[in-house]
Amino acid sequence: QVRLVESGGGMVQAGGSLSLSCAASGLTFSNYAMGWFRQAPGKKREFVAAISRSGDSTYPADSVKGRFTISRDNAKNTLFLQMNSLKPEDTAVYYCAATSRSGPAYYISSGYYAYWGPGTQVTVSS
C-alpha cells in the first residue's frame, strides 16, 4: 500500500521559513517524479514545485521561484520543500504527490499524480 505523509507545517510570520517533508512508503520512490501542490480555502489546488526521479531537475512555479526549493533523498524515500521569505498568500494546505509520468508538461497538472498525502497546513501571518 502506497503511503505519503507530509510533516513540518505550522504557523510562521511573513518573511519566515518552514521546511516540509514527505515520507514515502509502499512504492519504489526513485521510480516516481514528485510534486508539491497547495490549496487555500475557496481556491483550486495549485502546483508549487516538482522534481524529477533522480532529483537532477526541478520545476518551481513562478509564484515560488527563488523562495522555495524542492529536493529529494532517494535513499531515505523522502521529499522536501524548503520555503523561505514566506508571504501570507502562501497560506494553504500543502500536499505531496507522486507521478510515474516524465516531463514538466505532466508535472504541473494534478491529474497526472497517482498518489497523494493527506496534506499539512501552512499558515503565514502578516
Side-chain angles (χ1 to χ4, degrees):
Q1 181 182 358
V2 176
R3 191 163 182 241
L4 303 177
V5 180
E6 304 92 343
S7 61
M11 185 177 292
V12 65
Q13 287 189 328
S17 299
L18 279 176
S19 181
L20 303 184
S21 298
C22 171
S25 60
L27 76 171
T28 303
F29 187 65
S30 59
N31 285 354
Y32 290 82
M34 300 295 295
W36 287 99
F37 289 77
R38 65 187 181 187
Q39 188 166 17
K43 295 190 175 181
K44 292 175 17 177
R45 192 165 294 190
E46 174 190 23
F47 169 75
V48 175
I51 188 166
S52 62
R53 298 170 187 177
S54 65
D56 287 348
S57 299
T58 61
Y59 307 89
D62 287 344
S63 59
V64 305
K65 200 170 290 184
R67 300 189 299 122
F68 291 11
T69 301
I70 186 172
S71 61
R72 65 191 294 164
D73 185 338
N74 284 348
K76 296 184 178 180
N77 291 356
T78 305
L79 175 72
F80 304 99
L81 185 68
Q82 178 64 41
M83 304 185 294
N84 298 328
S85 302
L86 282 160
K87 305 174 181 179
E89 51 264 43
D90 294 320
T91 295
V93 176
Y94 282 71
Y95 301 89
C96 67
T99 178
S100 59
R101 302 288 187 129
S102 182
Y106 296 108
Y107 298 160
I108 63 175
S109 176
S110 61
Y112 290 112
Y113 288 79
Y115 304 109
W116 291 82
T120 186
Q121 176 71 46
V122 171
T123 302
V124 184
S125 61
S126 56

Coordinates of all heavy atoms in Angstrom, one line a residue, residues 15-76:
G15 N 7.9 36.5 6.0 CA 9.3 36.6 5.9 C 10.1 35.5 6.5 O 11.3 35.4 6.3
G16 N 9.4 34.6 7.2 CA 10.0 33.5 7.9 C 10.1 32.3 6.9 O 9.9 32.4 5.7
S17 N 10.6 31.2 7.5 CA 10.9 30.0 6.8 C 10.2 28.8 7.4 O 10.0 28.7 8.6 CB 12.4 29.7 6.7 OG 13.0 30.8 6.0
L18 N 9.9 27.8 6.6 CA 9.4 26.5 7.0 C 10.0 25.4 6.1 O 10.3 25.7 4.9 CB 7.9 26.4 7.0 CG 7.1 27.0 8.2 CD1 5.6 26.9 7.9 CD2 7.4 26.3 9.5
S19 N 10.2 24.2 6.7 CA 10.7 23.1 5.9 C 9.7 22.0 6.0 O 9.4 21.5 7.1 CB 12.1 22.7 6.4 OG 12.6 21.6 5.6
L20 N 9.2 21.5 4.8 CA 8.2 20.4 4.8 C 9.0 19.2 4.3 O 9.9 19.2 3.5 CB 7.1 20.7 3.8 CG 6.3 22.0 4.0 CD1 5.2 22.0 3.0 CD2 5.8 22.1 5.4
S21 N 8.5 18.1 4.9 CA 9.0 16.7 4.4 C 7.8 15.9 4.0 O 6.7 16.1 4.5 CB 9.7 16.1 5.6 OG 10.9 16.8 6.0
C22 N 8.1 14.9 3.2 CA 7.1 13.9 2.8 C 7.8 12.6 2.8 O 8.7 12.3 2.0 CB 6.6 14.3 1.4 SG 5.5 13.0 0.6
A23 N 7.3 11.7 3.7 CA 7.9 10.4 3.8 C 7.0 9.4 2.9 O 5.8 9.4 3.1 CB 7.9 9.9 5.2
A24 N 7.7 8.7 2.1 CA 7.0 7.8 1.2 C 7.3 6.3 1.5 O 8.4 6.0 1.9 CB 7.4 8.0 -0.3
S25 N 6.3 5.5 1.4 CA 6.4 4.0 1.6 C 5.5 3.3 0.7 O 4.5 3.8 0.2 CB 6.2 3.7 3.0 OG 4.9 4.0 3.4
G26 N 5.8 2.0 0.4 CA 5.0 1.2 -0.4 C 5.2 1.4 -1.9 O 4.4 0.8 -2.7
L27 N 6.2 2.1 -2.3 CA 6.5 2.3 -3.7 C 8.0 2.4 -3.9 O 8.7 2.7 -2.9 CB 5.8 3.5 -4.3 CG 6.3 4.9 -4.0 CD1 5.6 6.0 -4.8 CD2 6.3 5.3 -2.5
T28 N 8.4 2.1 -5.1 CA 9.8 2.4 -5.4 C 10.0 3.8 -5.7 O 9.8 4.3 -6.8 CB 10.3 1.5 -6.6 OG1 10.0 0.1 -6.3 CG2 11.8 1.7 -6.8
F29 N 10.4 4.5 -4.6 CA 10.4 6.0 -4.6 C 11.2 6.6 -5.8 O 10.7 7.5 -6.5 CB 11.1 6.5 -3.3 CG 11.0 8.0 -3.1 CD1 9.7 8.6 -2.9 CD2 12.1 8.7 -3.0 CE1 9.7 10.0 -2.7 CE2 12.1 10.1 -2.8 CZ 10.8 10.7 -2.6
S30 N 12.3 6.0 -6.2 CA 13.1 6.6 -7.2 C 12.5 6.4 -8.6 O 13.0 6.9 -9.6 CB 14.5 5.9 -7.2 OG 14.5 4.5 -7.3
N31 N 11.4 5.6 -8.7 CA 10.7 5.4 -10.0 C 9.7 6.5 -10.2 O 9.0 6.5 -11.3 CB 10.0 4.1 -10.0 CG 11.0 2.9 -10.3 OD1 12.2 3.2 -10.5 ND2 10.6 1.7 -10.2
Y32 N 9.5 7.4 -9.3 CA 8.4 8.4 -9.4 C 9.0 9.8 -9.3 O 9.8 10.1 -8.4 CB 7.4 8.2 -8.2 CG 6.6 7.0 -8.4 CD1 7.1 5.8 -8.0 CD2 5.3 7.1 -8.9 CE1 6.3 4.6 -8.1 CE2 4.5 5.9 -9.1 CZ 5.0 4.7 -8.7 OH 4.2 3.6 -8.8
A33 N 8.5 10.7 -10.2 CA 8.7 12.1 -10.0 C 7.8 12.5 -8.9 O 6.7 11.9 -8.7 CB 8.4 12.8 -11.3
M34 N 8.2 13.6 -8.2 CA 7.4 14.0 -7.1 C 7.0 15.5 -7.2 O 7.8 16.3 -7.8 CB 8.2 13.8 -5.8 CG 8.6 12.4 -5.5 SD 7.2 11.3 -5.2 CE 6.5 12.0 -3.7
G35 N 5.9 15.8 -6.6 CA 5.5 17.2 -6.7 C 4.9 17.7 -5.4 O 4.5 16.9 -4.5
W36 N 4.9 19.0 -5.2 CA 4.2 19.7 -4.1 C 3.1 20.5 -4.7 O 3.3 21.2 -5.7 CB 5.1 20.6 -3.3 CG 6.1 19.8 -2.4 CD1 7.4 19.6 -2.7 CD2 5.8 19.3 -1.1 NE1 7.9 18.9 -1.6 CE2 7.0 18.7 -0.7 CE3 4.7 19.3 -0.3 CZ2 7.1 18.1 0.6 CZ3 4.8 18.7 0.9 CH2 6.0 18.1 1.4
F37 N 1.9 20.4 -4.2 CA 0.8 21.2 -4.5 C 0.2 21.9 -3.2 O 0.5 21.5 -2.1 CB -0.4 20.4 -5.2 CG 0.0 19.9 -6.5 CD1 0.8 18.8 -6.7 CD2 -0.6 20.5 -7.6 CE1 1.2 18.4 -8.0 CE2 -0.3 20.1 -8.9 CZ 0.6 19.0 -9.1
R38 N -0.6 22.9 -3.4 CA -1.2 23.6 -2.3 C -2.6 24.0 -2.6 O -2.9 24.2 -3.8 CB -0.4 24.8 -1.8 CG -0.3 25.9 -2.8 CD 0.7 27.0 -2.3 NE 0.7 28.1 -3.2 CZ 1.6 29.1 -3.1 NH1 2.5 29.1 -2.1 NH2 1.6 30.1 -3.9
Q39 N -3.4 24.1 -1.6 CA -4.8 24.5 -1.8 C -5.2 25.4 -0.6 O -5.2 25.0 0.6 CB -5.7 23.3 -1.9 CG -7.2 23.7 -2.2 CD -8.0 22.5 -2.7 OE1 -7.6 21.4 -2.4 NE2 -9.1 22.8 -3.4
A40 N -5.6 26.7 -1.0 CA -6.0 27.6 0.0 C -7.6 27.5 0.1 O -8.2 27.1 -0.9 CB -5.6 29.0 -0.4
P41 N -8.2 27.9 1.2 CA -9.6 27.9 1.3 C -10.3 28.6 0.2 O -10.0 29.7 -0.2 CB -9.9 28.6 2.6 CG -8.6 28.4 3.4 CD -7.5 28.5 2.4
G42 N -11.3 27.9 -0.5 CA -12.0 28.5 -1.5 C -11.3 28.6 -2.9 O -11.9 29.2 -3.8
K43 N -10.1 28.0 -2.9 CA -9.4 28.1 -4.2 C -9.1 26.7 -4.7 O -9.1 25.7 -4.0 CB -8.1 28.9 -4.0 CG -8.3 30.3 -3.6 CD -6.9 31.1 -3.6 CE -7.1 32.5 -3.4 NZ -5.9 33.3 -3.4
K44 N -8.7 26.6 -6.0 CA -8.3 25.3 -6.6 C -7.0 24.9 -6.2 O -6.1 25.8 -5.8 CB -8.4 25.5 -8.1 CG -9.8 25.7 -8.6 CD -10.0 25.9 -10.1 CE -9.0 25.6 -11.1 NZ -9.4 25.8 -12.4
R45 N -6.7 23.6 -6.2 CA -5.4 23.1 -5.9 C -4.4 23.7 -6.9 O -4.6 23.7 -8.1 CB -5.4 21.6 -5.9 CG -4.1 21.0 -5.3 CD -4.3 19.5 -5.0 NE -5.3 19.3 -4.0 CZ -5.5 18.1 -3.4 NH1 -4.8 17.1 -3.8 NH2 -6.5 18.0 -2.5
E46 N -3.2 24.1 -6.4 CA -2.3 24.8 -7.2 C -0.9 24.1 -7.2 O -0.4 23.7 -6.1 CB -2.1 26.3 -6.7 CG -1.0 27.1 -7.3 CD -0.8 28.4 -6.5 OE1 -1.1 28.4 -5.3 OE2 -0.3 29.4 -7.1
F47 N -0.3 24.0 -8.4 CA 1.1 23.4 -8.5 C 2.1 24.4 -7.8 O 2.1 25.6 -8.0 CB 1.4 23.3 -9.9 CG 2.9 22.9 -10.2 CD1 3.3 21.6 -9.9 CD2 3.7 23.8 -10.7 CE1 4.6 21.3 -10.1 CE2 5.1 23.5 -10.9 CZ 5.5 22.2 -10.6
V48 N 3.0 23.8 -7.0 CA 4.0 24.5 -6.3 C 5.4 24.2 -6.9 O 6.1 25.1 -7.3 CB 4.0 24.2 -4.8 CG1 5.2 24.9 -4.1 CG2 2.7 24.6 -4.2
A49 N 5.7 22.9 -7.0 CA 7.1 22.6 -7.5 C 7.1 21.1 -7.8 O 6.3 20.3 -7.2 CB 8.2 22.9 -6.5
A50 N 8.0 20.6 -8.6 CA 8.1 19.2 -8.9 C 9.6 18.9 -9.1 O 10.4 19.8 -9.3 CB 7.4 18.8 -10.2
I51 N 9.9 17.7 -9.0 CA 11.3 17.2 -9.1 C 11.3 15.9 -9.8 O 10.5 15.0 -9.6 CB 12.0 17.1 -7.7 CG1 13.5 16.8 -7.8 CG2 11.3 16.1 -6.8 CD1 14.2 17.0 -6.5
S52 N 12.3 15.7 -10.7 CA 12.5 14.5 -11.5 C 12.8 13.3 -10.6 O 13.1 13.5 -9.4 CB 13.5 14.7 -12.5 OG 14.8 14.9 -11.9
R53 N 12.8 12.1 -11.2 CA 13.0 10.9 -10.4 C 14.4 10.9 -9.8 O 14.6 10.5 -8.6 CB 12.9 9.7 -11.3 CG 11.5 9.5 -11.9 CD 11.5 8.5 -13.0 NE 10.3 8.4 -13.7 CZ 10.0 7.6 -14.7 NH1 10.9 6.8 -15.2 NH2 8.8 7.6 -15.3
S54 N 15.4 11.4 -10.5 CA 16.7 11.3 -10.0 C 17.0 12.5 -9.1 O 18.0 12.5 -8.3 CB 17.7 11.4 -11.1 OG 17.6 12.6 -11.8
G55 N 16.2 13.6 -9.2 CA 16.4 14.8 -8.4 C 17.3 15.8 -9.2 O 17.6 16.9 -8.7
D56 N 17.7 15.5 -10.4 CA 18.6 16.3 -11.1 C 17.9 17.6 -11.7 O 18.5 18.6 -11.9 CB 19.2 15.6 -12.3 CG 20.2 14.6 -11.9 OD1 20.7 14.6 -10.7 OD2 20.6 13.7 -12.7
S57 N 16.6 17.5 -11.9 CA 15.8 18.6 -12.4 C 14.7 19.0 -11.5 O 14.0 18.1 -11.0 CB 15.2 18.2 -13.8 OG 16.3 17.9 -14.7
T58 N 14.5 20.3 -11.3 CA 13.4 20.8 -10.5 C 12.6 21.8 -11.3 O 13.1 22.5 -12.2 CB 13.9 21.4 -9.2 OG1 14.8 22.5 -9.6 CG2 14.7 20.4 -8.4
Y59 N 11.3 21.9 -10.9 CA 10.4 22.8 -11.7 C 9.6 23.6 -10.7 O 8.5 23.1 -10.3 CB 9.5 21.9 -12.6 CG 10.3 21.0 -13.5 CD1 10.7 19.7 -13.0 CD2 10.7 21.4 -14.7 CE1 11.5 18.9 -13.8 CE2 11.5 20.5 -15.5 CZ 11.9 19.3 -15.1 OH 12.6 18.5 -15.9
P60 N 10.0 24.7 -10.3 CA 9.2 25.5 -9.3 C 8.2 26.4 -10.1 O 8.5 26.8 -11.2 CB 10.2 26.4 -8.7 CG 11.3 26.5 -9.7 CD 11.3 25.3 -10.5
A61 N 7.0 26.6 -9.5 CA 6.1 27.5 -10.1 C 6.6 28.9 -10.0 O 7.4 29.2 -9.2 CB 4.7 27.4 -9.4
D62 N 6.2 29.8 -10.9 CA 6.7 31.2 -11.0 C 6.4 31.9 -9.6 O 7.2 32.7 -9.2 CB 6.0 31.9 -12.1 CG 6.5 31.5 -13.5 OD1 7.6 30.9 -13.5 OD2 5.8 31.8 -14.4
S63 N 5.3 31.5 -9.0 CA 4.9 32.2 -7.7 C 5.8 31.9 -6.6 O 5.9 32.6 -5.6 CB 3.5 31.8 -7.4 OG 3.4 30.4 -7.2
V64 N 6.6 30.8 -6.7 CA 7.5 30.5 -5.6 C 9.0 30.4 -6.0 O 9.9 30.2 -5.2 CB 7.2 29.1 -5.0 CG1 5.7 29.1 -4.6 CG2 7.5 28.0 -6.0
K65 N 9.3 30.7 -7.3 CA 10.6 30.7 -7.8 C 11.5 31.6 -7.0 O 11.1 32.8 -6.8 CB 10.6 31.0 -9.3 CG 11.9 30.5 -10.0 CD 11.7 30.7 -11.5 CE 10.6 29.7 -12.0 NZ 10.5 29.8 -13.5
G66 N 12.7 31.2 -6.6 CA 13.6 32.0 -5.8 C 13.3 32.0 -4.3 O 14.1 32.5 -3.5
R67 N 12.2 31.4 -3.9 CA 11.8 31.4 -2.5 C 11.7 30.0 -2.0 O 12.1 29.7 -0.8 CB 10.5 32.1 -2.2 CG 10.5 33.6 -2.6 CD 9.2 34.3 -2.2 NE 8.0 33.7 -2.8 CZ 7.0 33.2 -2.0 NH1 7.1 33.2 -0.7 NH2 5.9 32.7 -2.6
F68 N 11.2 29.1 -2.8 CA 11.0 27.7 -2.4 C 12.0 26.8 -3.1 O 12.3 27.0 -4.3 CB 9.6 27.2 -2.7 CG 8.5 27.8 -1.9 CD1 8.7 28.9 -1.1 CD2 7.2 27.3 -2.0 CE1 7.7 29.5 -0.3 CE2 6.2 27.8 -1.2 CZ 6.4 28.9 -0.4
T69 N 12.5 25.7 -2.5 CA 13.4 24.8 -3.1 C 12.9 23.4 -2.8 O 12.7 23.0 -1.7 CB 14.8 24.9 -2.5 OG1 15.3 26.2 -2.8 CG2 15.7 23.9 -3.2
I70 N 12.7 22.6 -3.9 CA 12.3 21.2 -3.8 C 13.5 20.3 -3.9 O 14.4 20.6 -4.7 CB 11.2 20.9 -4.8 CG1 10.7 19.5 -4.6 CG2 11.7 21.0 -6.2 CD1 9.5 19.1 -5.5
S71 N 13.5 19.3 -3.1 CA 14.7 18.3 -3.2 C 14.2 17.0 -2.7 O 13.0 16.8 -2.2 CB 15.8 18.8 -2.3 OG 15.4 18.9 -0.9
R72 N 15.0 16.0 -2.9 CA 14.6 14.6 -2.5 C 15.8 13.8 -2.1 O 16.9 14.1 -2.5 CB 13.9 13.9 -3.6 CG 14.7 13.6 -4.9 CD 13.8 13.2 -6.0 NE 13.2 11.9 -5.8 CZ 12.2 11.4 -6.5 NH1 11.7 12.1 -7.5 NH2 11.7 10.2 -6.2
D73 N 15.6 12.8 -1.3 CA 16.6 11.9 -0.9 C 16.1 10.5 -1.2 O 15.3 9.9 -0.4 CB 16.9 12.0 0.6 CG 18.1 11.2 1.1 OD1 18.4 10.2 0.4 OD2 18.6 11.4 2.1
N74 N 16.5 9.9 -2.3 CA 16.0 8.6 -2.7 C 16.4 7.5 -1.8 O 15.7 6.5 -1.7 CB 16.4 8.3 -4.2 CG 15.6 9.2 -5.2 OD1 14.6 9.8 -4.8 ND2 16.1 9.2 -6.4
A75 N 17.5 7.7 -1.1 CA 18.0 6.6 -0.2 C 17.1 6.6 1.0 O 17.0 5.5 1.7 CB 19.4 6.9 0.2
K76 N 16.4 7.7 1.3 CA 15.6 7.8 2.5 C 14.1 7.9 2.2 O 13.2 8.1 3.0 CB 16.0 8.9 3.4 CG 17.4 8.8 4.0 CD 17.7 9.9 4.9 CE 19.1 9.7 5.5 NZ 19.4 10.8 6.5

